[in-house]
Amino acid sequence: MLEGLAVWALFIYLLRLVGMPWNKYSKLFAYLGGGTWLLFVWVGLITYTPMDLSGGSLVQSPHIQVRPASTKIKGTVDSIHIKPNQEIRSGQLMFTIDDDIYVIERNKAQADLDASEVALAVAREEVKIDQANLAEKTADIAITEQEILAARENLKLKQSTYQRYLEQNEALTHSVTESRLDEQDTEVELAKVELERLKAELEKAKVSVNKARVLLSKAELAVDSKQVEVMSAIQLLKKAQWNLDNTKIYAPADGYVTNFIMREGQYVGVVPRMQMYTNEKYVLMRVNHQAIRNIKVGQSAEFATAVYPGQIFVAEVEGIVEASGESQGNLTGRDDRVRQTTGMNVMNKHHFVRLKISEPEGYDIPVGSVGLAWISGEKPIAFMNFLDVIRGIIIRMKSQIYYIYAM
């Protein structure tokens, strides 16, 4: 605000230099105009070029919990391959967990897979045996059918011979002896019995074929079952190998670690024992409610910190935090208390805006640093762009104070 007043004072000084008299009217113009100008600049700066003069704009960085990929992977720290406050590269080995139990599980899964593959091979051999058995039974049917055809022909032959003997005896009495007729009749009966036996054998062979088909189907189903067991064993082996691989913890991104307290022999369970920060940095700046409607993604901004006194860092609005912590309701389903809620939030007059900060080569702003920041918001007319100049002057003036005072 004082900077805006300084601009007006400069304007009056220039008017005095060109000969403006210093009388009642010029004084009235200077004082009333200065007050009006000051009010205009004050409202304009607050509404269209917001600045966090508290010095509490905070440099943050996304942090990652460094731990095994699953909470089921637990154990004691076997070795640590990094040091506190060290820069980390993506894929760099950070620490390992004692893997004895996971090696045992992997070996057991491998043994289970081998056993499943042997069982599958046995099942396939059973299929081959049942296929051969079915082929044999089918061949028995064909053989029996041929034997039945031969038996029928033999029966016809014996019946024909017996009939011929009878006709011969009718034509010439006792040309065929009674004993011969009896023998031939017996041969006919034996041929009938043989035919019936072969028919029974044929039915039995058909039943055997059906049984062989059933056994073959069961054997083929057993092969399918064993294949499923092999696939399941393969997946279990992959899972065991994945668990074993994840006992070695690698950096997921470029960044750095801070002063971690993990030590060899320490147990790593559900709670992570180390975290790292990525190289991405942003500034979390508060913006007053009057100006938040004029802030849009992509607008230019500037940031200054006591880490680098006098240095102005270019920034850009990356996002607007649409909600604040105060906006969260009661998670237990209870209604909010009016007096308590309003009393706690009566001073809440700001929202957060996230700025993407650009660090020139050779500069490294530590995460957690605080400083001043302002944003060039959306303005109703181009004339008001001079407010950006005032904000630029303000932040550059205040950044010089950082040489002696961190605000």
Side-chain angles (χ1 to χ4, degrees):
M1 186 169 64
L2 295 178
E3 289 77 6
L5 185 59
V7 172
W8 180 259
L10 177 62
F11 175 66
I12 297 299
Y13 176 72
L14 293 175
L15 290 179
R16 290 282 290 151
L17 285 180
V18 297
M20 183 185 77
W22 190 244
N23 52 34
K24 179 174 65 175
Y25 300 103
S26 61
K27 289 180 181 180
L28 184 63
F29 170 74
Y31 299 148
L32 290 180
T36 304
W37 171 257
L38 188 61
L39 180 62
F40 172 74
V41 171
W42 183 27
V43 174
L45 291 175
I46 291 176
T47 306
Y48 303 110
T49 54
M51 183 175 187
D52 184 8
L53 292 171
S54 68
S57 294
L58 178 65
V59 179
Q60 292 186 330
S61 174
H63 65 275
I64 305 172
Q65 293 181 346
V66 182
R67 51 162 304 137
S70 172
T71 55
K72 295 182 179 180
I73 303 175
K74 306 173 184 178
T76 57
V77 177
D78 185 57
S79 59
I80 301 175
H81 298 268
I82 58 174
K83 296 179 180 180
N85 307 303
Q86 176 183 333
E87 290 188 3
I88 304 297
R89 296 298 178 187
S90 178
Q92 180 178 346
L93 181 63
M94 301 183 71
F95 66 93
T96 62
I97 294 176
D98 184 18
D99 61 357
D100 290 346
I101 184 65
Y102 299 102
V103 171
I104 293 172
E105 290 180 355
R106 193 274 311 275
N107 293 340
K108 181 179 180 299
Q110 181 65 59
D112 292 342
L113 175 59
D114 294 340
S116 299
E117 290 177 342
V118 171
L120 176 60
V122 172
R124 285 173 174 166
E125 291 301 321
E126 291 290 339
V127 169
K128 292 180 181 179
I129 293 172
D130 289 336
Q131 287 175 340
N133 185 45
L134 177 60
E136 181 182 354
K137 299 298 183 183
T138 304
D140 289 344
I141 290 178
I143 294 172
T144 304
E145 287 176 345
Q146 293 299 321
E147 289 179 347
I148 288 175
L149 291 176
R152 283 174 178 168
E153 293 298 324
N154 184 48
L155 177 60
K156 288 180 181 181
L157 177 60
K158 293 186 182 302
Q159 288 175 337
S160 174
T161 301
Y162 180 68
Q163 186 63 31
R164 183 167 52 81
Y165 284 167
L166 292 177
E167 291 174 354
Q168 182 178 342
N169 265 352
E170 289 178 358
L172 183 60
T173 306
H174 301 298
S175 59
V176 180
T177 62
E178 290 295 330
S179 60
R180 181 59 187 147
L181 287 174
D182 291 339
E183 289 177 0
Q184 190 63 33
D185 183 53
T186 301
E187 290 180 0
V188 170
E189 294 301 324
L190 290 175
K192 289 180 179 180
V193 171
E194 179 65 15
L195 180 59
E196 293 302 321
R197 186 188 69 80
L198 291 173
K199 288 180 179 180
E201 287 290 334
L202 179 61
E203 294 301 322
K204 183 179 178 181
K206 289 180 178 180
V207 172
S208 298
V209 167
N210 290 333
K211 288 183 178 180
R213 287 197 179 103
V214 171
L215 292 175
L216 178 59
S217 298
K218 290 176 65 177
E220 290 173 344
L221 290 175
V223 169
D224 293 339
S225 176
K226 297 303 180 183
Q227 286 178 332
V228 171
E229 290 180 4
V230 169
M231 292 302 298
S232 177
I234 290 174
Q235 299 306 316
L236 290 175
L237 176 59
K238 288 182 178 180
K239 181 180 179 182
Q241 185 62 52
W242 183 81
N243 288 339
L244 177 59
D245 293 341
N246 276 278
T247 57
K248 295 180 175 62
I249 290 79
Y250 298 90
D254 291 342
Y256 55 93
V257 293
T258 54
N259 191 32
F260 61 85
I261 59 174
M262 175 184 285
R263 295 295 181 266
E264 294 179 359
Q266 187 175 18
Y267 181 77
V268 176
V270 177
V271 180
R273 302 295 182 179
M274 182 188 296
Q275 69 176 11
M276 64 170 290
Y277 293 86
T278 68
N279 287 334
E280 178 188 357
K281 294 178 184 177
Y282 59 89
V283 174
L284 199 62
M285 169 190 171
R286 71 173 188 174
V287 174
N288 54 291
H289 285 168
Q290 298 98 317
I292 194 68
R293 68 182 185 276
N294 298 315
I295 303 303
K296 302 292 186 294
V297 174
Q299 291 174 340
S300 60
E302 289 183 332
F303 174 73
T305 176
V307 178
Y308 294 102
Q311 176 67 32
I312 304 299
F313 296 91
V314 177
E316 179 183 296
V317 177
E318 188 177 52
I320 301 171
V321 182
E322 296 292 343
S324 61
E326 293 85 354
S327 66
Q328 294 182 356
N330 195 310
L331 298 180
T332 60
R334 297 173 56 189
D335 291 332
D336 295 325
R337 298 180 180 181
V338 176
R339 182 176 180 181
Q340 180 181 7
T341 302
T342 55
M344 291 174 58
N345 294 283
V346 67
M347 298 303 294
N348 178 26
K349 297 179 174 60
H350 299 83
H351 262 69
F352 279 127
V353 173
R354 177 166 164 163
L355 306 179
K356 181 179 180 181
I357 189 170
S358 175
E359 293 178 300
E361 186 177 356
Y363 290 86
D364 182 18
I365 305 176
V367 174
S369 302
V370 295
L372 300 166
W374 73 275
I375 301 173
S376 175
E378 189 176 49
K379 303 172 184 64
I381 56 176
F383 168 74
M384 299 186 70
N385 287 332
F386 77 91
L387 296 173
D388 293 348
V389 177
I390 296 177
R391 281 303 192 201
I393 294 172
I394 294 173
I395 195 171
R396 282 162 177 78
M397 291 174 60
K398 290 186 177 296
S399 68
Q400 302 301 319
I401 302 176
Y402 282 138
Y403 280 105
I404 57 175
Y405 179 57
M407 288 190 286

